[in-house]
Amino acid sequence: ANLDRFFLDQEIEDWGRHWVQAMQIIEKAKQTHDVKIVHYEDMLKDAKKELNDIFSFLAIKKKDYIIEECLEAGSFKNMSRGRDQGQVKQDSHVRKGIIGDWKNYFTKEDGRIFNEIAGDMLLKYNYVVNKDWFNEI
């Protein structure tokens, strides 16, 4: 057994297939519906702007106090029960709240397997900048 790896091949394959399946459902929905894709990364960069865009997309009248309450309720500090972004708590469902942290748990082999399954979608939705991203792990 390779003790340097955190995940089994089968886990990586399953996650890749599940993620691609979810993205394919979105792709299909886009054919007949208006769809707004919200990236976690964009929410971290400017949550207020993203939330305003979401409210506009849904044609919901927005008041500043509602946006502020949503931002507070969805903040990492609130969701993690007091932790700061980047702070780890092993038994928490809410991980670190930082962009790209998932790659920190992958070995190059994990990335290669995930890329084999999900690489096209990762590129299409700008999660990676090239098909060889896993070589940088």
Side-chain angles (χ1 to χ4, degrees):
N2 185 348
L3 300 177
D4 295 332
R5 291 183 68 201
F6 191 73
F7 303 111
L8 300 172
D9 287 1
Q10 188 61 52
E11 291 174 303
I12 301 293
E13 292 167 9
D14 289 347
W15 291 329
R17 281 193 292 275
H18 286 118
W19 188 78
V20 167
Q21 182 181 31
M23 298 307 289
Q24 288 170 335
I25 290 168
I26 291 169
E27 294 275 305
K28 187 173 182 184
K30 286 169 63 175
Q31 295 173 9
T32 56
H33 297 82
D34 288 335
V35 173
K36 175 160 182 55
I37 295 174
V38 179
H39 290 260
Y40 178 71
E41 295 81 358
D42 295 334
M43 289 294 291
L44 281 183
K45 289 176 190 168
D46 192 346
K48 189 172 191 171
K49 176 195 174 303
E50 289 300 313
L51 202 51
N52 273 302
D53 289 351
I54 292 166
F55 275 54
S56 293
F57 176 79
L58 296 172
I60 296 173
K61 289 184 182 179
K62 54 191 178 282
K63 306 258 187 218
D64 286 341
Y65 78 91
I66 293 173
I67 297 289
E68 293 302 323
E69 285 180 14
C70 289
L71 291 171
E72 176 60 29
S75 72
F76 182 82
K77 195 158 202 89
N78 191 32
M79 300 280 291
S80 67
R81 300 195 172 150
R83 283 187 290 136
D84 290 324
Q85 282 180 291
Q87 197 175 21
V88 179
K89 185 176 179 202
Q90 295 300 348
D91 61 344
S92 178
H93 177 71
V94 179
R95 294 189 325 211
K96 288 194 248 179
I98 59 174
I99 294 172
D101 189 45
W102 62 276
K103 292 179 191 173
N104 294 329
Y105 295 90
F106 275 29
T107 63
K108 189 179 289 193
E109 179 62 9
D110 296 334
R112 185 195 64 73
I113 293 167
F114 195 85
N115 190 63
E116 203 172 281
I117 296 164
D120 291 338
M121 286 290 188
L122 288 170
L123 273 170
K124 184 173 187 172
Y125 288 95
N126 300 315
Y127 286 104
V128 296
V129 294
N130 63 57
K131 262 232 164 173
D132 297 328
W133 62 269
F134 58 91
N135 286 320
E136 298 167 13
I137 296 177

